[in-house]
Amino acid sequence: MEQSLSYDNRIDSESSDQVVNPWEVSAKDGGKIDYDKLIDRFGCKRLDESLIDRVERLTGRQPHKFLRRGVFFAHRDFNEILDAYESGERFYLYTGRGPSSEALHLGHLIPFMFTKYLQEAFKVPLVIQLTDDEKFMWKNLTVEESERLARENARDIIACGFDVTKTFIFSDFDHVGGAFYKNMVKVSKCVTLNKAKGIFGFSGEDHIGKLSFPAVQAAPSFPSSFPHLFPGMDKLRCLIPCAIDQDPYFRMTRDVAPRLGYSKPALIESSFFPALQAKNGKMSASDPNSAIYVTDTAKDIKNKINKAKSGGHQFSVVQHDLGADLEKDIPFKYLSVFLEDDSELELIRKQYGEKEGIMQTGDVKKRVTEILTEIVERHRRARAAVTDEMVEAFMAVRPLPSMFE
Amino acid sequence: MEVDKKDEREAESSEQVVNPWEVSAKDGGKIDYDKLIDKFGCQRLDESLIDRVQRLTSRQPHVFLRRGVFFAHRDFNEILDAYENGDKFYLYTGRGPSSEALHLGHLIPFMFTKYLQEAFKVPLVIQLTDDEKCMWKNLSVEESQRLARENAKDIIACGFDVTKTFIFSDFDYVGGAFYKNMVRVAKCVTLNKAMGIFGFSGEDHIGKLSFPPVQAVPSFPSSFPHLFPGKDNLRCLIPCAIDQDPYFRMTRDVAPRLGYSKPALIESSFFPALQAKNGKMSASDPNSAIYVTDTAKDIKNKINRYAFSGGQDSVEKHKELGANLEVDIPVKYLSFFLEDDSELEHIKKEYGEGRMLTGEVKKRLTEVLTEMVERHRRARAAVTDEMVDAFMAVRPLPSMFE
């Protein structure tokens, strides 16, 4: 059951509690994010084994490692999406990025890697929103600068391997208008100031641009926002893969949708990719040492991983007796996200995490460095191959005639 | 001097209220325009400015200037200074298309703007705020868009020059450069400030809060790259009713922070309701107003039955005391619409001194208004969908300063 929207997200009363909203993610007292508590509080559902099995059956392929490893771990109405899909009804994907910097890190890539898998596995179209207006409003950027960052980020996104015949990338500054703007207005009409303050924590000193933004992030959930893509498909459902800190936007959207006669968007949500030093909640683009960037060299990656917070013990004797504390071990966590092979991961888990295991921290760090280096180098090559023409192609307002094939 | 004044509604229940959504006088009396100018911080439009307009345009100033209908301004003198130096400006006015029923009060800013366009030979943008009406009224998007197009016909019927005029509806036009300016403006106005200026409350929806920038940005030439490319310093003059002042106080406060020129304003008082109650004509009370769709018979009946008279109860008393011109609606209406200064003077003298009766004044008014309304109706009937499309097309206006 949809949790009531009016719970308070006030930051001041939560200084001793964890904070998860689109602008701040921090664990309680510098500890770890309690995802059970979060699911409970937000009112979404756990993504359980049975759903993952269903995905495997319906798509005829192994579920993505992010599903197998519980990186994408929560959802709203994903079961309904699968029901509809089983009945022969399609859906479309919607995800996005707030282009606040050129520096993308691995945490940023996660929703895009997963969305690419979903597009391929289900053979569905995708819209990607670059919220350059949001970044302009929240950061000290000019309009031109945020537009430029949007285009730069578009290259990284394209480098993740989306299908240009099924994907529409747009920046708000380019695209807002027409049917999209009409839906923004319709949504805004349904959200009171008090409600917006309750959901997002806005205060009197915030500017009115911030208040008008949630409607911009809501609108892509409705197919009528894209008349060039989905003409006459007003019942087409939307599935939104995103990090769980975006949930407030879509709780609001789901609350408004029925009042507009629209279907509620479904969500599939990920946990946060932990910072290298494991502090707080997630990697931060503003702290270079907290993250592996897609622009890092093999040497950078090696150095950063070597400094990553370890759950291993300094003395090999102790390590042998106890095994590493896998709860705290960042290199192992990174492996559990990025290492494809389940059995290799299991082997490392045993040999590193259990007593009398033969692996040391150094071994694990070496393996994760290899894997991340491979990911980053593949990405860098793919990005270098993205031309201006390709960006134009993805961002052109055009129909996608083969979007369901 | 520009002042940032709060419009504290609670404290003003016994005071006059003037904002875009409500206009009412204190205790059912008349609007005190001096107090308003003082509170808003704009200037009186004095004789010397009107003389300057006459000199610069080489024609008699519009009746609305001569009679003080347009009576207040912000920086109109600077517009005239620039004009004298050969720097042009552009005009910006608008309408919230909430109903098909336009009344004479609605026509006033458009009649005046048409005069300004002709006299100064400048371009004009007209904003139809269909998004605003969708947000404030119980209207669907489609309905508000339809009303916008209908109202566009009445506006075109006022006689604007299609080679110098761009009419747009927000639902059609918002996007691109216009949207960028909306976001720039929104970044400069805190929620507290918006609540202070417009009186929004926690129960208002966020659409209302996001609207003021929509009305602000036509004040900036960069919002119209197809009209004013490379003319970022072109100044803007906004003819409007004075209840719109809050939007533009906000805009003028924000403009320098964006490196833009402040728009200038030239503001009108309210066209009084027939029964003289409250502040202005209301489209929702048919007997308070003369509509552009009224027949000659309707007009005659409304003037005779509902126009509040300043005449005395009996003929004898009237001959003795004369009419109270302060409260007399027919004379007020004549002061708006009777072209001839000397005829108006004559009527005021004769009626004020008791030699002319209410019936005669009402008869003259009925003639004047009937002529106006019938001219408008003929002009509107001649407006085709193609003409509407022409005015609303996004296109350059190469001869806009000629």
Side-chain angles (χ1 to χ4, degrees), chain A residues 133 136 139 144 147 176-177 181-182 188-189 191-194 204-209 211-212, chain B residues 131 134 139 145 174-175 179-180 183-184 186-187 189-192 202-207 210:
Chain A
D133 52 353
F136 167 73
K139 306 273 179 185
E144 293 71 24
E147 281 185 297
V176 164
Y181 178 62
K182 288 174 189 173
S188 305
K189 241 177 128 170
V191 182
T192 63
L193 175 55
N194 283 340
E205 279 311 298
D206 282 315
H207 59 69
I208 56 181
L211 277 148
S212 63
Chain B
D131 52 352
C134 174
L139 292 172
Q145 282 188 287
V174 164
Y179 178 63
K180 288 175 189 173
V183 176
R184 286 183 174 120
K187 213 175 154 178
V189 182
T190 63
L191 175 55
N192 283 339
E203 279 313 296
D204 283 315
H205 58 69
I206 54 181
S210 63

mmCIF file of all heavy atoms in Angstrom, chain A residues 133 136 139 144 147 176-177 181-182 188-189 191-194 204-209 211-212, chain B residues 131 134 139 145 174-175 179-180 183-184 186-187 189-192 202-207 210:
data_model
loop_
_atom_site.group_PDB
_atom_site.id
_atom_site.type_symbol
_atom_site.label_atom_id
_atom_site.label_comp_id
_atom_site.label_asym_id
_atom_site.label_seq_id
_atom_site.Cartn_x
_atom_site.Cartn_y
_atom_site.Cartn_z
ATOM 1 N N ASP A 133 17.949 22.290 -16.315
ATOM 2 C CA ASP A 133 17.270 23.386 -15.621
ATOM 3 C C ASP A 133 17.393 23.205 -14.101
ATOM 4 O O ASP A 133 17.632 24.162 -13.364
ATOM 5 C CB ASP A 133 15.809 23.513 -16.062
ATOM 6 C CG ASP A 133 15.037 22.206 -15.968
ATOM 7 O OD1 ASP A 133 15.647 21.151 -15.689
ATOM 8 O OD2 ASP A 133 13.816 22.238 -16.187
ATOM 9 N N PHE A 136 20.917 24.178 -13.063
ATOM 10 C CA PHE A 136 21.036 25.629 -13.095
ATOM 11 C C PHE A 136 20.391 26.235 -11.848
ATOM 12 O O PHE A 136 20.920 27.169 -11.244
ATOM 13 C CB PHE A 136 20.367 26.177 -14.357
ATOM 14 C CG PHE A 136 20.175 27.662 -14.337
ATOM 15 C CD1 PHE A 136 21.251 28.513 -14.486
ATOM 16 C CD2 PHE A 136 18.914 28.206 -14.133
ATOM 17 C CE1 PHE A 136 21.083 29.900 -14.446
ATOM 18 C CE2 PHE A 136 18.740 29.582 -14.082
ATOM 19 C CZ PHE A 136 19.817 30.428 -14.247
ATOM 20 N N LYS A 139 22.549 24.873 -8.540
ATOM 21 C CA LYS A 139 23.990 25.130 -8.454
ATOM 22 C C LYS A 139 24.308 26.532 -8.976
ATOM 23 O O LYS A 139 23.477 27.187 -9.626
ATOM 24 C CB LYS A 139 24.744 24.108 -9.313
ATOM 25 C CG LYS A 139 24.432 22.675 -9.007
ATOM 26 C CD LYS A 139 25.288 22.119 -7.919
ATOM 27 C CE LYS A 139 24.932 20.681 -7.613
ATOM 28 N NZ LYS A 139 25.682 20.173 -6.477
ATOM 29 N N GLU A 144 23.911 28.513 -19.960
ATOM 30 C CA GLU A 144 24.764 27.969 -21.024
ATOM 31 C C GLU A 144 25.648 26.851 -20.476
ATOM 32 O O GLU A 144 25.844 25.831 -21.128
ATOM 33 C CB GLU A 144 25.650 29.074 -21.617
ATOM 34 C CG GLU A 144 24.859 30.154 -22.376
ATOM 35 C CD GLU A 144 24.041 31.056 -21.465
ATOM 36 O OE1 GLU A 144 24.402 31.183 -20.267
ATOM 37 O OE2 GLU A 144 23.043 31.632 -21.936
ATOM 38 N N GLU A 147 23.657 23.714 -19.924
ATOM 39 C CA GLU A 147 23.356 23.073 -21.209
ATOM 40 C C GLU A 147 24.576 22.347 -21.748
ATOM 41 O O GLU A 147 24.473 21.248 -22.303
ATOM 42 C CB GLU A 147 22.927 24.124 -22.244
ATOM 43 C CG GLU A 147 21.490 24.573 -22.103
ATOM 44 C CD GLU A 147 21.070 25.510 -23.218
ATOM 45 O OE1 GLU A 147 21.654 26.626 -23.323
ATOM 46 O OE2 GLU A 147 20.177 25.147 -23.978
ATOM 47 N N VAL A 176 11.438 21.404 -22.889
ATOM 48 C CA VAL A 176 10.221 21.879 -22.210
ATOM 49 C C VAL A 176 9.429 22.776 -23.152
ATOM 50 O O VAL A 176 9.969 23.672 -23.793
ATOM 51 C CB VAL A 176 10.566 22.655 -20.912
ATOM 52 C CG1 VAL A 176 9.379 23.473 -20.438
ATOM 53 C CG2 VAL A 176 11.025 21.703 -19.828
ATOM 54 N N GLY A 177 8.112 22.510 -23.194
ATOM 55 C CA GLY A 177 7.239 23.246 -24.085
ATOM 56 C C GLY A 177 6.137 22.317 -24.537
ATOM 57 O O GLY A 177 6.148 21.129 -24.231
ATOM 58 N N TYR A 181 5.036 20.762 -21.420
ATOM 59 C CA TYR A 181 4.704 21.868 -20.518
ATOM 60 C C TYR A 181 3.259 21.749 -20.027
ATOM 61 O O TYR A 181 2.977 22.009 -18.849
ATOM 62 C CB TYR A 181 4.913 23.213 -21.221
ATOM 63 C CG TYR A 181 4.549 24.419 -20.379
ATOM 64 C CD1 TYR A 181 5.224 24.693 -19.196
ATOM 65 C CD2 TYR A 181 3.526 25.294 -20.762
ATOM 66 C CE1 TYR A 181 4.893 25.796 -18.408
ATOM 67 C CE2 TYR A 181 3.195 26.400 -19.983
ATOM 68 C CZ TYR A 181 3.870 26.651 -18.816
ATOM 69 O OH TYR A 181 3.533 27.743 -18.046
ATOM 70 N N LYS A 182 2.373 21.305 -20.900
ATOM 71 C CA LYS A 182 0.973 21.158 -20.472
ATOM 72 C C LYS A 182 0.879 20.166 -19.316
ATOM 73 O O LYS A 182 0.162 20.399 -18.339
ATOM 74 C CB LYS A 182 0.100 20.693 -21.642
ATOM 75 C CG LYS A 182 -0.126 21.775 -22.678
ATOM 76 C CD LYS A 182 -0.871 21.250 -23.906
ATOM 77 C CE LYS A 182 -0.859 22.327 -24.989
ATOM 78 N NZ LYS A 182 -1.406 21.864 -26.269
ATOM 79 N N SER A 188 1.394 20.410 -11.592
ATOM 80 C CA SER A 188 1.547 21.479 -10.589
ATOM 81 C C SER A 188 0.240 21.837 -9.926
ATOM 82 O O SER A 188 0.205 22.210 -8.754
ATOM 83 C CB SER A 188 2.066 22.760 -11.230
ATOM 84 O OG SER A 188 3.236 22.531 -11.917
ATOM 85 N N LYS A 189 -0.816 21.728 -10.708
ATOM 86 C CA LYS A 189 -2.142 22.091 -10.184
ATOM 87 C C LYS A 189 -2.556 21.144 -9.067
ATOM 88 O O LYS A 189 -3.419 21.480 -8.262
ATOM 89 C CB LYS A 189 -3.159 21.966 -11.332
ATOM 90 C CG LYS A 189 -3.876 23.223 -11.703
ATOM 91 C CD LYS A 189 -4.793 22.969 -12.880
ATOM 92 C CE LYS A 189 -6.219 23.456 -12.603
ATOM 93 N NZ LYS A 189 -7.065 23.442 -13.794
ATOM 94 N N VAL A 191 -0.495 19.693 -6.716
ATOM 95 C CA VAL A 191 0.430 19.600 -5.582
ATOM 96 C C VAL A 191 0.442 20.932 -4.844
ATOM 97 O O VAL A 191 0.853 21.944 -5.402
ATOM 98 C CB VAL A 191 1.869 19.285 -6.064
ATOM 99 C CG1 VAL A 191 2.809 19.146 -4.866
ATOM 100 C CG2 VAL A 191 1.900 18.037 -6.919
ATOM 101 N N THR A 192 -0.040 20.939 -3.607
ATOM 102 C CA THR A 192 -0.038 22.201 -2.872
ATOM 103 C C THR A 192 1.374 22.530 -2.389
ATOM 104 O O THR A 192 2.232 21.654 -2.285
ATOM 105 C CB THR A 192 -0.954 22.146 -1.631
ATOM 106 O OG1 THR A 192 -0.443 21.150 -0.736
ATOM 107 C CG2 THR A 192 -2.380 21.827 -2.017
ATOM 108 N N LEU A 193 1.553 23.780 -2.045
ATOM 109 C CA LEU A 193 2.835 24.226 -1.511
ATOM 110 C C LEU A 193 3.173 23.422 -0.255
ATOM 111 O O LEU A 193 4.301 22.946 -0.078
ATOM 112 C CB LEU A 193 2.731 25.718 -1.188
ATOM 113 C CG LEU A 193 3.934 26.363 -0.515
ATOM 114 C CD1 LEU A 193 5.194 26.126 -1.321
ATOM 115 C CD2 LEU A 193 3.689 27.853 -0.344
ATOM 116 N N ASN A 194 2.178 23.242 0.597
ATOM 117 C CA ASN A 194 2.405 22.483 1.827
ATOM 118 C C ASN A 194 2.867 21.063 1.528
ATOM 119 O O ASN A 194 3.789 20.535 2.155
ATOM 120 C CB ASN A 194 1.123 22.411 2.677
ATOM 121 C CG ASN A 194 0.865 23.713 3.414
ATOM 122 O OD1 ASN A 194 1.780 24.518 3.606
ATOM 123 N ND2 ASN A 194 -0.361 23.925 3.835
ATOM 124 N N GLY A 204 10.912 28.688 3.129
ATOM 125 C CA GLY A 204 10.593 30.022 2.628
ATOM 126 C C GLY A 204 11.739 30.717 1.920
ATOM 127 O O GLY A 204 11.520 31.573 1.069
ATOM 128 N N GLU A 205 12.970 30.321 2.275
ATOM 129 C CA GLU A 205 14.117 30.969 1.648
ATOM 130 C C GLU A 205 14.523 30.316 0.323
ATOM 131 O O GLU A 205 15.415 30.796 -0.368
ATOM 132 C CB GLU A 205 15.316 30.993 2.609
ATOM 133 C CG GLU A 205 15.233 32.115 3.623
ATOM 134 C CD GLU A 205 14.907 33.453 2.965
ATOM 135 O OE1 GLU A 205 15.698 33.938 2.121
ATOM 136 O OE2 GLU A 205 13.839 34.033 3.276
ATOM 137 N N ASP A 206 13.874 29.205 -0.007
ATOM 138 C CA ASP A 206 14.147 28.578 -1.311
ATOM 139 C C ASP A 206 13.456 29.401 -2.390
ATOM 140 O O ASP A 206 12.386 29.968 -2.167
ATOM 141 C CB ASP A 206 13.617 27.140 -1.332
ATOM 142 C CG ASP A 206 14.526 26.186 -0.587
ATOM 143 O OD1 ASP A 206 15.758 26.270 -0.788
ATOM 144 O OD2 ASP A 206 14.019 25.369 0.215
ATOM 145 N N HIS A 207 14.041 29.430 -3.573
ATOM 146 C CA HIS A 207 13.423 30.217 -4.636
ATOM 147 C C HIS A 207 12.333 29.418 -5.341
ATOM 148 O O HIS A 207 12.285 28.189 -5.241
ATOM 149 C CB HIS A 207 14.477 30.748 -5.619
ATOM 150 C CG HIS A 207 15.296 29.698 -6.302
ATOM 151 N ND1 HIS A 207 14.767 28.836 -7.252
ATOM 152 C CD2 HIS A 207 16.598 29.355 -6.177
ATOM 153 C CE1 HIS A 207 15.719 28.030 -7.687
ATOM 154 N NE2 HIS A 207 16.831 28.302 -7.050
ATOM 155 N N ILE A 208 11.450 30.145 -6.031
ATOM 156 C CA ILE A 208 10.270 29.489 -6.607
ATOM 157 C C ILE A 208 10.618 28.568 -7.770
ATOM 158 O O ILE A 208 9.814 27.742 -8.175
ATOM 159 C CB ILE A 208 9.183 30.504 -7.017
ATOM 160 C CG1 ILE A 208 9.730 31.548 -7.983
ATOM 161 C CG2 ILE A 208 8.588 31.159 -5.771
ATOM 162 C CD1 ILE A 208 8.687 32.593 -8.410
ATOM 163 N N GLY A 209 11.838 28.687 -8.287
ATOM 164 C CA GLY A 209 12.277 27.752 -9.323
ATOM 165 C C GLY A 209 12.317 26.338 -8.769
ATOM 166 O O GLY A 209 11.864 25.384 -9.403
ATOM 167 N N LEU A 211 10.594 25.102 -6.415
ATOM 168 C CA LEU A 211 9.228 24.612 -6.215
ATOM 169 C C LEU A 211 8.576 24.150 -7.502
ATOM 170 O O LEU A 211 7.716 23.270 -7.486
ATOM 171 C CB LEU A 211 8.379 25.717 -5.608
ATOM 172 C CG LEU A 211 8.579 25.747 -4.118
ATOM 173 C CD1 LEU A 211 8.446 27.142 -3.599
ATOM 174 C CD2 LEU A 211 7.575 24.821 -3.459
ATOM 175 N N SER A 212 8.976 24.755 -8.602
ATOM 176 C CA SER A 212 8.341 24.386 -9.872
ATOM 177 C C SER A 212 9.034 23.187 -10.511
ATOM 178 O O SER A 212 8.532 22.619 -11.467
ATOM 179 C CB SER A 212 8.344 25.572 -10.825
ATOM 180 O OG SER A 212 9.675 25.942 -11.127
ATOM 181 N N ASP B 131 -2.212 29.303 -19.603
ATOM 182 C CA ASP B 131 -1.733 28.440 -18.512
ATOM 183 C C ASP B 131 -2.198 28.983 -17.153
ATOM 184 O O ASP B 131 -2.619 28.226 -16.282
ATOM 185 C CB ASP B 131 -0.217 28.261 -18.560
ATOM 186 C CG ASP B 131 0.554 29.570 -18.634
ATOM 187 O OD1 ASP B 131 -0.057 30.633 -18.798
ATOM 188 O OD2 ASP B 131 1.795 29.514 -18.545
ATOM 189 N N CYS B 134 -5.855 28.174 -16.728
ATOM 190 C CA CYS B 134 -5.995 26.737 -16.444
ATOM 191 C C CYS B 134 -5.670 26.478 -14.975
ATOM 192 O O CYS B 134 -6.322 25.678 -14.314
ATOM 193 C CB CYS B 134 -5.060 25.967 -17.363
ATOM 194 S SG CYS B 134 -4.977 24.213 -17.026
ATOM 195 N N LEU B 139 -10.580 25.055 -15.394
ATOM 196 C CA LEU B 139 -10.573 24.886 -16.847
ATOM 197 C C LEU B 139 -9.596 23.802 -17.245
ATOM 198 O O LEU B 139 -8.536 23.670 -16.639
ATOM 199 C CB LEU B 139 -10.116 26.182 -17.538
ATOM 200 C CG LEU B 139 -11.002 27.422 -17.487
ATOM 201 C CD1 LEU B 139 -10.243 28.605 -18.067
ATOM 202 C CD2 LEU B 139 -12.280 27.186 -18.262
ATOM 203 N N GLN B 145 -6.998 26.909 -23.889
ATOM 204 C CA GLN B 145 -6.394 27.224 -25.178
ATOM 205 C C GLN B 145 -7.437 27.751 -26.164
ATOM 206 O O GLN B 145 -7.162 28.656 -26.956
ATOM 207 C CB GLN B 145 -5.747 25.972 -25.783
ATOM 208 C CG GLN B 145 -4.413 25.640 -25.162
ATOM 209 C CD GLN B 145 -3.724 24.521 -25.899
ATOM 210 O OE1 GLN B 145 -4.110 23.363 -25.818
ATOM 211 N NE2 GLN B 145 -2.689 24.862 -26.633
ATOM 212 N N VAL B 174 5.621 28.695 -24.576
ATOM 213 C CA VAL B 174 6.646 28.442 -23.552
ATOM 214 C C VAL B 174 7.621 27.376 -24.044
ATOM 215 O O VAL B 174 7.224 26.322 -24.531
ATOM 216 C CB VAL B 174 6.003 27.988 -22.217
ATOM 217 C CG1 VAL B 174 7.047 27.363 -21.292
ATOM 218 C CG2 VAL B 174 5.322 29.160 -21.535
ATOM 219 N N GLY B 175 8.900 27.639 -23.855
ATOM 220 C CA GLY B 175 9.961 26.739 -24.288
ATOM 221 C C GLY B 175 11.157 27.561 -24.710
ATOM 222 O O GLY B 175 11.099 28.796 -24.725
ATOM 223 N N TYR B 179 11.564 29.857 -21.894
ATOM 224 C CA TYR B 179 11.655 29.014 -20.699
ATOM 225 C C TYR B 179 12.944 29.288 -19.942
ATOM 226 O O TYR B 179 12.958 29.342 -18.706
ATOM 227 C CB TYR B 179 11.556 27.527 -21.066
ATOM 228 C CG TYR B 179 11.678 26.591 -19.879
ATOM 229 C CD1 TYR B 179 10.743 26.602 -18.843
ATOM 230 C CD2 TYR B 179 12.740 25.692 -19.776
ATOM 231 C CE1 TYR B 179 10.862 25.749 -17.750
ATOM 232 C CE2 TYR B 179 12.862 24.838 -18.685
ATOM 233 C CZ TYR B 179 11.920 24.866 -17.675
ATOM 234 O OH TYR B 179 12.037 24.022 -16.593
ATOM 235 N N LYS B 180 14.035 29.509 -20.660
ATOM 236 C CA LYS B 180 15.296 29.800 -19.981
ATOM 237 C C LYS B 180 15.158 31.050 -19.120
ATOM 238 O O LYS B 180 15.619 31.100 -17.976
ATOM 239 C CB LYS B 180 16.423 29.984 -20.999
ATOM 240 C CG LYS B 180 16.843 28.687 -21.652
ATOM 241 C CD LYS B 180 17.872 28.903 -22.756
ATOM 242 C CE LYS B 180 18.076 27.592 -23.511
ATOM 243 N NZ LYS B 180 18.933 27.743 -24.699
ATOM 244 N N VAL B 183 13.182 30.359 -15.940
ATOM 245 C CA VAL B 183 13.981 29.712 -14.902
ATOM 246 C C VAL B 183 14.944 30.707 -14.260
ATOM 247 O O VAL B 183 15.121 30.720 -13.037
ATOM 248 C CB VAL B 183 14.743 28.502 -15.485
ATOM 249 C CG1 VAL B 183 15.643 27.878 -14.446
ATOM 250 C CG2 VAL B 183 13.760 27.461 -16.000
ATOM 251 N N ARG B 184 15.521 31.590 -15.078
ATOM 252 C CA ARG B 184 16.423 32.607 -14.537
ATOM 253 C C ARG B 184 15.693 33.500 -13.536
ATOM 254 O O ARG B 184 16.223 33.854 -12.478
ATOM 255 C CB ARG B 184 16.966 33.483 -15.666
ATOM 256 C CG ARG B 184 18.006 32.817 -16.531
ATOM 257 C CD ARG B 184 18.530 33.799 -17.570
ATOM 258 N NE ARG B 184 19.619 33.234 -18.333
ATOM 259 C CZ ARG B 184 19.605 33.056 -19.644
ATOM 260 N NH1 ARG B 184 18.547 33.390 -20.347
ATOM 261 N NH2 ARG B 184 20.659 32.525 -20.258
ATOM 262 N N ALA B 186 12.856 32.774 -11.914
ATOM 263 C CA ALA B 186 12.410 31.979 -10.761
ATOM 264 C C ALA B 186 13.531 31.830 -9.730
ATOM 265 O O ALA B 186 13.298 31.813 -8.518
ATOM 266 C CB ALA B 186 11.930 30.611 -11.227
ATOM 267 N N LYS B 187 14.781 31.744 -10.228
ATOM 268 C CA LYS B 187 15.924 31.579 -9.341
ATOM 269 C C LYS B 187 16.116 32.797 -8.452
ATOM 270 O O LYS B 187 16.755 32.727 -7.403
ATOM 271 C CB LYS B 187 17.175 31.363 -10.206
ATOM 272 C CG LYS B 187 18.232 30.460 -9.616
ATOM 273 C CD LYS B 187 19.371 30.230 -10.624
ATOM 274 C CE LYS B 187 20.653 29.903 -9.863
ATOM 275 N NZ LYS B 187 21.786 29.614 -10.737
ATOM 276 N N VAL B 189 13.651 34.748 -7.083
ATOM 277 C CA VAL B 189 12.507 35.111 -6.239
ATOM 278 C C VAL B 189 12.293 34.020 -5.196
ATOM 279 O O VAL B 189 11.966 32.886 -5.549
ATOM 280 C CB VAL B 189 11.218 35.263 -7.082
ATOM 281 C CG1 VAL B 189 10.046 35.681 -6.188
ATOM 282 C CG2 VAL B 189 11.417 36.249 -8.217
ATOM 283 N N THR B 190 12.486 34.348 -3.923
ATOM 284 C CA THR B 190 12.284 33.328 -2.900
ATOM 285 C C THR B 190 10.793 33.103 -2.685
ATOM 286 O O THR B 190 9.953 33.941 -3.015
ATOM 287 C CB THR B 190 12.895 33.723 -1.542
ATOM 288 O OG1 THR B 190 12.209 34.892 -1.082
ATOM 289 C CG2 THR B 190 14.375 33.989 -1.664
ATOM 290 N N LEU B 191 10.495 31.971 -2.094
ATOM 291 C CA LEU B 191 9.113 31.636 -1.771
ATOM 292 C C LEU B 191 8.526 32.716 -0.870
ATOM 293 O O LEU B 191 7.409 33.187 -1.081
ATOM 294 C CB LEU B 191 9.095 30.278 -1.075
ATOM 295 C CG LEU B 191 7.766 29.767 -0.549
ATOM 296 C CD1 LEU B 191 6.745 29.740 -1.662
ATOM 297 C CD2 LEU B 191 7.956 28.364 0.024
ATOM 298 N N ASN B 192 9.310 33.147 0.127
ATOM 299 C CA ASN B 192 8.832 34.186 1.035
ATOM 300 C C ASN B 192 8.482 35.470 0.279
ATOM 301 O O ASN B 192 7.461 36.095 0.523
ATOM 302 C CB ASN B 192 9.895 34.502 2.100
ATOM 303 C CG ASN B 192 9.943 33.446 3.196
ATOM 304 O OD1 ASN B 192 8.983 32.700 3.395
ATOM 305 N ND2 ASN B 192 11.057 33.391 3.901
ATOM 306 N N GLY B 202 0.050 28.299 1.945
ATOM 307 C CA GLY B 202 0.437 26.891 1.874
ATOM 308 C C GLY B 202 -0.537 26.005 1.129
ATOM 309 O O GLY B 202 -0.149 24.962 0.601
ATOM 310 N N GLU B 203 -1.803 26.417 1.075
ATOM 311 C CA GLU B 203 -2.792 25.596 0.386
ATOM 312 C C GLU B 203 -2.872 25.888 -1.101
ATOM 313 O O GLU B 203 -3.583 25.213 -1.839
ATOM 314 C CB GLU B 203 -4.186 25.781 1.016
ATOM 315 C CG GLU B 203 -4.370 24.949 2.278
ATOM 316 C CD GLU B 203 -3.905 23.502 2.076
ATOM 317 O OE1 GLU B 203 -4.508 22.775 1.244
ATOM 318 O OE2 GLU B 203 -2.924 23.085 2.733
ATOM 319 N N ASP B 204 -2.141 26.898 -1.562
ATOM 320 C CA ASP B 204 -2.087 27.153 -3.005
ATOM 321 C C ASP B 204 -1.195 26.107 -3.648
ATOM 322 O O ASP B 204 -0.225 25.653 -3.051
ATOM 323 C CB ASP B 204 -1.530 28.555 -3.269
ATOM 324 C CG ASP B 204 -2.566 29.638 -3.023
ATOM 325 O OD1 ASP B 204 -3.722 29.471 -3.473
ATOM 326 O OD2 ASP B 204 -2.230 30.655 -2.365
ATOM 327 N N HIS B 205 -1.503 25.756 -4.883
ATOM 328 C CA HIS B 205 -0.685 24.737 -5.531
ATOM 329 C C HIS B 205 0.563 25.356 -6.157
ATOM 330 O O HIS B 205 0.634 26.572 -6.378
ATOM 331 C CB HIS B 205 -1.505 23.934 -6.551
ATOM 332 C CG HIS B 205 -2.135 24.746 -7.645
ATOM 333 N ND1 HIS B 205 -1.392 25.369 -8.633
ATOM 334 C CD2 HIS B 205 -3.419 25.038 -7.911
ATOM 335 C CE1 HIS B 205 -2.217 25.987 -9.463
ATOM 336 N NE2 HIS B 205 -3.443 25.814 -9.045
ATOM 337 N N ILE B 206 1.553 24.490 -6.429
ATOM 338 C CA ILE B 206 2.843 25.010 -6.873
ATOM 339 C C ILE B 206 2.793 25.608 -8.277
ATOM 340 O O ILE B 206 3.698 26.319 -8.690
ATOM 341 C CB ILE B 206 3.966 23.945 -6.778
ATOM 342 C CG1 ILE B 206 3.585 22.670 -7.532
ATOM 343 C CG2 ILE B 206 4.264 23.652 -5.322
ATOM 344 C CD1 ILE B 206 4.678 21.591 -7.437
ATOM 345 N N GLY B 207 1.721 25.323 -9.011
ATOM 346 C CA GLY B 207 1.558 25.949 -10.318
ATOM 347 C C GLY B 207 1.420 27.457 -10.168
ATOM 348 O O GLY B 207 2.033 28.227 -10.921
ATOM 349 N N SER B 210 4.653 29.048 -9.635
ATOM 350 C CA SER B 210 5.578 29.063 -10.766
ATOM 351 C C SER B 210 5.105 30.014 -11.852
ATOM 352 O O SER B 210 5.812 30.239 -12.817
ATOM 353 C CB SER B 210 5.741 27.656 -11.337
ATOM 354 O OG SER B 210 4.502 27.191 -11.834
#
